[in-house]
């Protein structure tokens, strides 16, 4: 049976769009459908997208005060899986408790590095560049009570290139998010990946080498390209 998804988004909603595109093509509607979009910003692009695609769209205040209202919305729309796509608030603990193992987030760096409170938007990419790291990436993980902390479900490396600005790196990582995030959501919706008793994902969702070709092609350092290629095909 198709899983009913709620997407929580604070901003423009490009990951929401990518997820919607993925689920409405190739017969994937039988895996999951986006049944509700929630935002803590009434003017979020994500809400506008939902309205224009006949998806229930609700603005709700964030923070712990919003927990009961959030749960009430999730119940009334019979939501199976909660997906954070650029949601900037901490998910209230009553929501995490009820949906543990059924809440996912996408983050624009390789967690556990460059995550946590205050690490969002361009700040993440600025910190990666300032650190001198040669590789960043995208992470999809289960959500727990702490920012960017739950078990990793999927990761995909993205090179940091010389001359990168936070904006350039953000755009490169976002392309990967748009591919990785829907695939990871589908894997959890189909119970191919779950949260185990030790608080880890039962499997790691690994992208295949074909999907990663454009990432590899953009790397101008042959040794790094080879290292990432080997890691992806392992
Ligand atoms: C993405 O980079 C995501 O990783 C992070 O917030 C950003 C949201 O972008 N959590 P969008 O609203 O999906 O375009």
């Amino acid at each position: 049976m198709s899983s009913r998804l709620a997407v929580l988004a604070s901003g423009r909603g490009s990951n929401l769009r990518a997820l919607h595109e993925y689920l409405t093509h190739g017969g994937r509607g039988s895996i999951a459908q986006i049944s509700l979009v929630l935002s803590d910003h009434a003017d979020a692009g994500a809400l506008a997208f939902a309205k224009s695609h006949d998806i229930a769209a609700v603005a709700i205040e964030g923070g712990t005060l919003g927990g009961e209202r959030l749960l009430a919305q999730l119940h009334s729309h019979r939501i199976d899986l909660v997906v954070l796509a650029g949601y900037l608030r901490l998910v209230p603990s009553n929501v995490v408790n009820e949906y543990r193992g059924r809440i996912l987030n996408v983050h624009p760096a390789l967690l556990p590095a460059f995550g946590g409170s205050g690490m969002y938007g361009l700040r993440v990419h600025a910190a990666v560049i300032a650190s001198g790291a040669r590789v960043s990436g995208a992470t999809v993980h289960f959500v727990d009570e702490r920012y960017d902390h739950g078990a990793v479900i999927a990761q995909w490396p993205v090179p940091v290139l010389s001359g990168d600005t936070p904006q350039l790196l953000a755009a490169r990582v976002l392309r990967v998010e748009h591919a990785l995030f829907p695939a990871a959501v589908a894997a959890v919706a189909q119970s191919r990946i779950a949260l185990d008793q030790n608080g880890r994902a039962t499997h790691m969702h690994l992208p295949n080498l074909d999907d990663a070709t454009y990432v590899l092609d953009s790397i101008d350092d042959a040794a790094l390209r080879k290292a990432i290629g080997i890691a992806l095909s392992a």
Side-chain angles (χ1 to χ4, degrees):
M1 206 175 65
S2 179
S3 290
R4 295 174 62 80
L5 307 185
V7 178
L8 272 60
S10 298
R12 68 191 159 189
S14 72
N15 277 289
L16 164 66
R17 254 171 266 227
L19 181 61
H20 184 264
E21 172 84 14
Y22 181 88
L23 293 175
T24 51
H25 288 85
R28 299 194 197 96
S30 60
I31 298 173
Q33 57 187 282
I34 300 172
S35 305
L36 173 65
V37 173
L38 286 157
S39 182
D40 54 330
H41 287 291
D43 57 355
L47 288 180
F49 176 84
K51 285 174 196 156
S52 65
H53 288 78
D54 287 328
I55 300 168
V58 176
I60 203 165
E61 76 267 29
T64 43
L65 285 178
E68 288 307 322
R69 287 189 58 206
L70 196 52
L71 265 188
Q73 287 291 338
L74 299 177
H75 291 161
S76 80
H77 289 271
R78 293 173 288 115
I79 296 303
D80 301 305
L81 210 61
V82 179
V83 167
L84 312 189
Y87 187 65
L88 297 180
R89 306 275 190 161
L90 197 61
V91 179
S93 57
N94 55 344
V95 179
V96 173
N97 264 329
E98 181 166 330
Y99 281 88
R100 198 178 301 280
R102 294 184 295 140
I103 313 188
L104 287 71
N105 180 43
V106 57
H107 184 76
L110 295 177
L111 295 175
F114 306 110
S117 182
M119 275 297 204
Y120 60 88
L122 292 177
R123 292 183 193 194
V124 177
H125 306 289
V128 169
I129 292 168
S131 77
R134 301 292 305 275
V135 179
S136 190
T139 300
V140 183
H141 65 96
F142 286 113
V143 170
D144 66 10
E145 285 81 358
R146 292 159 64 179
Y147 280 114
D148 304 326
H149 182 260
V152 170
I153 298 167
Q155 290 187 309
W156 197 341
V158 175
V160 181
L161 302 180
S162 57
D164 256 351
T165 61
Q167 288 81 357
L168 285 171
L169 181 56
R172 195 176 309 121
V173 171
L174 194 63
R175 287 178 65 190
V176 170
E177 291 183 47
H178 291 165
L180 188 66
F181 179 55
V185 170
V188 175
Q190 293 175 300
S191 302
R192 286 188 280 120
I193 301 179
L195 193 64
D196 73 13
Q197 290 175 340
N198 301 316
R200 304 266 172 173
T202 48
H203 299 93
M204 181 69 79
H205 178 83
L206 289 174
N208 65 43
L209 205 50
D210 286 345
D211 291 339
T213 299
Y214 74 85
V215 177
L216 294 172
D217 284 350
S218 68
I219 301 174
D220 58 8
D221 177 327
L224 179 62
R225 190 164 57 233
K226 191 172 169 201
I228 291 175
I230 289 168
L232 287 173
S233 58

